[in-house]
Amino acid sequence: MASKETLIVDCDTGIDDALALLYLLRDPDVDIRAVTTVFGNIDAVTAADNTLRVLELAGRPDIPVAIGARDNWLGNAHFAPYVHGADGLGNTDLPAPTARPVAEPAAELIVRLARENPSTLHLLAVGPLTNLATAVLLEPELPGLVKHVTIMGGAIRHPGNATPAAEANISNDPEAARTVLTAGWPITLVPLDATMGERITEGHQRRLRETGTPVTAFAAQMLDQYFDFYEGNVFGDRSAACHDPLAAAIAVGDVSPVLAPVVAVDVETSQGPGRGATVADVRGQYRNFPAQDDAHVRVVLETGGDFAELLADRLCDDPTPTRRVA
Amino acid sequence: MASKETLIVDCDTGIDDALALLYLLRDPDVDIRAVTTVFGNIDAVTAADNTLRVLELAGRPDIPVAIGARDNWLGNAHFAPYVHGADGLGNTDLPAPTARPVAEPAAELIVRLARENPSTLHLLAVGPLTNLATAVLLEPELPGLVKHVTIMGGAIRHPGNATPAAEANISNDPEAARTVLTAGWPITLVPLDATMGERITEGHQRRLRETGTPVTAFAAQMLDQYFDFYEGNVFGDRSAACHDPLAAAIAVGDVSPVLAPVVAVDVETSQGPGRGATVADVRGQYRNFPAQDDAHVRVVLETGGDFAELLADRLCDDPTPTRRVA
């Protein structure tokens, strides 16, 4: 049977990256061809290690993992252990992986797979966009070779989270984000406007814990760290935003946005207070967003608000791996 | 009796500037010491001429009008006849004024009156902030000499109107706006987030027309041009935002904001897509906006939505001039 989506997942694994991977891995109709890693929540090498741990927990050590950019284009990367824990996975002590990352660098892998599978691959990017931008520099025809790009990132009518203006993935490499968002491929951007409205709560965590499979127990344990951060710094209660899992669910068609106009998007790359802001032209908001010439970014401004329920359902429903090792 | 507020109104008159002036002039407890003009909706000289016409219509030719900045700091001003009509007042052919502007330049007048009336003056700025910034350069102690500054401008969780990121008053001189917003005076900023939610409609226009005083007939006639613009470009129906009148009403205490946190505000002054964006730190929105050290800008994010009713009431209630000529 044809898979419903053939993905390369580019991530900085990360608590919510791990949840996104686990969510996708439980759907037998989703074909993850490779995972590429980038600095962001954690360094790119640890992100690859974390990814392998998560893939093995889900019974999929066969999926290749490639390490990508270790720093952004200006060379000032920093990580977020205060959000994701010192290990990036909420200090959960998941067993060390038996598999190892492939030797091929992330951007080269993306270009190679796109050439081998023209108009087939869906790139799901849930970290800084350095790998995708590098891939576009390696192969300027890349935007015509991939089917779609879904990106978790940005903040439009919502404040940033890394700075008052900028969301963390974009803030971590605004130059790369500008390259990717202004390249001519069809993009779905899932910004904070949508993800902050999709909250996973202690109720979901309890359900994951009580289900008690290795996957759900791990997810529940990670959420402790995530809730600690969100309680003190964001929501003031023990809940968290479903950033990366929501982008994953939108990429594979599980979630249909409530409001998602196709609009022009650019990124501010100054060194001023707006650095890293995603400037989307949503001025048509009072007139049902009239069409804009040459716009090619679908910006998800609103989703239904009940995605965490679906996420918990998916993780809890079937404790067996969704796909055999090849 | 002590006036409830002693104002200098700095404006680029302008349909909604004219409405703001008429609104204020009908309150006998508001003392307008001077009006200063700036380029923006129209050129600064025409703005002064328009202001004098409006003051004379309201029976107040005694209020001094001073011409200010004819261009922004980068020398690339442009005006908005497509919004406000070729004359800036909706092509209403109000009689030419008998009074003339004073010789003193706007910024000098602001500094002089502030020195003469320390801790007394409330600056209400509803155009580009070039005059206020110039006044701060002339007198660095100015922020300590005025009582308060209320500014119509900016867009926080709302799209811009001049560009996707920037509201027109800020966009017209981002460098000046940054100077003013980061000076240490107490500021109330009234951005599009608030003003776009306060709409004057055809119902209000009908009431103004039927009341039939010179002031209300003029207001109703101006609204034709304003509604033309808003119908085609903003709301898709014949209504318009109460930008400047709302800021005026907030300045004199007639309208109490529903949501107005005191937060850090800066302005992006790059030449990138974020130029002119007002970057306000509203990341505390999920936690009732915890206090921020050194923040001194009260940002009005939400008002009640029924201000146009008050505006129409004020203009219609009493057809006689609110104050005699001195």
Side-chain angles (χ1 to χ4, degrees), chain A:
Chain A
M1 191 187 112
S3 67
K4 64 180 180 183
E5 215 62 50
T6 305
L7 299 177
I8 296 178
V9 182
D10 186 72
C11 54
D12 52 335
T13 316
I15 292 173
D16 59 325
D17 309 67
L19 291 173
L21 287 168
L22 291 171
Y23 174 87
L24 292 169
L25 289 165
R26 301 201 67 75
D27 184 345
D29 292 336
V30 170
D31 178 10
I32 300 180
R33 287 292 171 89
V35 178
T36 52
T37 69
V38 60
F39 80 93
N41 296 329
I42 193 93
D43 69 275
V45 175
T46 305
D49 184 86
N50 286 348
T51 302
L52 289 167
R53 288 171 196 244
V54 169
L55 291 175
E56 294 187 13
L57 177 70
R60 291 302 306 277
D62 58 301
I63 297 176
V65 175
I67 299 170
R70 286 155 173 80
D71 206 341
N72 62 33
W73 287 9
L74 298 198
N76 57 14
H78 65 273
F79 314 127
Y82 43 94
V83 181
H84 296 271
D87 67 350
L89 293 179
N91 303 317
T92 43
D93 290 321
L94 211 55
T98 54
R100 305 198 50 172
V102 299
E104 191 175 29
E108 291 182 29
L109 180 146
I110 292 169
V111 170
R112 178 177 60 75
L113 287 184
R115 286 178 180 146
E116 290 173 6
N117 305 276
S119 305
T120 303
L121 291 178
H122 191 139
L123 304 182
L124 170 62
V126 296
L129 294 168
T130 319
N131 288 342
L132 269 63
T134 304
V136 171
L137 291 193
L138 286 174
E139 174 51 277
E141 302 301 321
L142 185 67
L145 291 172
V146 307
K147 183 182 161 201
H148 201 86
V149 181
T150 296
I151 296 165
M152 190 280 128
I156 314 300
R157 303 186 296 190
H158 188 283
N161 55 5
T163 74
E167 179 277 335
N169 285 342
I170 309 299
S171 176
N172 264 325
D173 197 344
E175 286 74 16
R178 190 174 204 187
T179 298
V180 171
L181 285 165
T182 59
W185 42 21
I187 296 174
T188 296
L189 184 69
V190 185
L192 296 181
D193 303 64
T195 65
M196 292 293 275
E198 299 288 359
R199 293 202 208 178
I200 191 162
T201 66
E202 284 194 304
H204 301 113
Q205 184 189 32
R206 197 173 313 116
R207 210 176 127 206
L208 290 165
R209 191 182 291 119
E210 286 168 1
T211 297
T213 68
V215 163
T216 63
F218 166 68
Q221 195 187 346
M222 280 198 305
L223 287 173
D224 278 332
Q225 163 67 33
Y226 218 34
F227 287 171
D228 283 349
F229 173 76
Y230 271 88
E231 183 174 27
N233 301 278
V234 185
F235 290 141
D237 63 20
R238 295 190 71 73
S239 65
C242 294
H243 301 301
D244 296 352
L246 180 67
I250 289 171
V252 299
D254 291 346
V255 168
S256 297
V258 171
L259 181 64
V262 176
V263 297
V265 178
D266 203 345
V267 178
E268 177 59 58
T269 56
S270 77
Q271 293 297 327
R275 178 169 175 77
T278 39
V279 179
D281 189 354
V282 295
R283 290 177 291 177
Q285 67 178 21
Y286 295 104
R287 291 175 295 137
N288 201 24
F289 297 100
Q292 295 174 21
D293 290 347
D294 302 325
H296 63 280
V297 182
R298 182 173 71 132
V299 177
V300 180
L301 294 173
E302 206 183 323
T303 49
D306 53 0
F307 169 66
E309 201 62 26
L310 172 61
L311 172 60
D313 284 347
R314 184 72 62 86
L315 297 186
C316 290
D317 270 2
D318 180 0
T320 61
T322 56
R323 188 179 277 260
R324 293 188 184 288
V325 176

Side-chain angles (χ1 to χ4, degrees), chain B residues 28-175:
Chain B
D29 293 335
V30 170
D31 178 10
I32 300 180
R33 286 293 170 88
V35 179
T36 52
T37 69
V38 60
F39 80 93
N41 297 329
I42 193 92
D43 69 274
V45 174
T46 304
D49 183 86
N50 286 348
T51 302
L52 289 166
R53 289 171 196 242
V54 169
L55 292 175
E56 293 188 12
L57 177 71
R60 292 300 306 278
D62 58 301
I63 296 176
V65 175
I67 300 171
R70 286 155 173 82
D71 205 342
N72 62 33
W73 286 10
L74 298 199
N76 58 13
H78 67 272
F79 313 128
Y82 43 93
V83 182
H84 296 272
D87 68 349
L89 293 179
N91 304 316
T92 42
D93 291 320
L94 211 56
T98 54
R100 306 198 48 173
V102 299
E104 191 175 29
E108 291 182 27
L109 180 147
I110 291 169
V111 169
R112 179 178 57 78
L113 287 184
R115 286 176 179 150
E116 290 172 6
N117 305 276
S119 305
T120 303
L121 291 179
H122 191 139
L123 304 182
L124 169 63
V126 297
L129 294 168
T130 320
N131 288 341
L132 268 63
T134 305
V136 171
L137 291 193
L138 286 173
E139 173 52 276
E141 301 302 320
L142 185 66
L145 291 171
V146 307
K147 183 181 159 201
H148 202 86
V149 182
T150 296
I151 296 166
M152 190 278 129
I156 313 300
R157 302 185 297 190
H158 188 283
N161 55 6
T163 73
E167 180 276 335
N169 285 341
I170 309 300
S171 177
N172 265 324
D173 198 343
E175 285 74 16

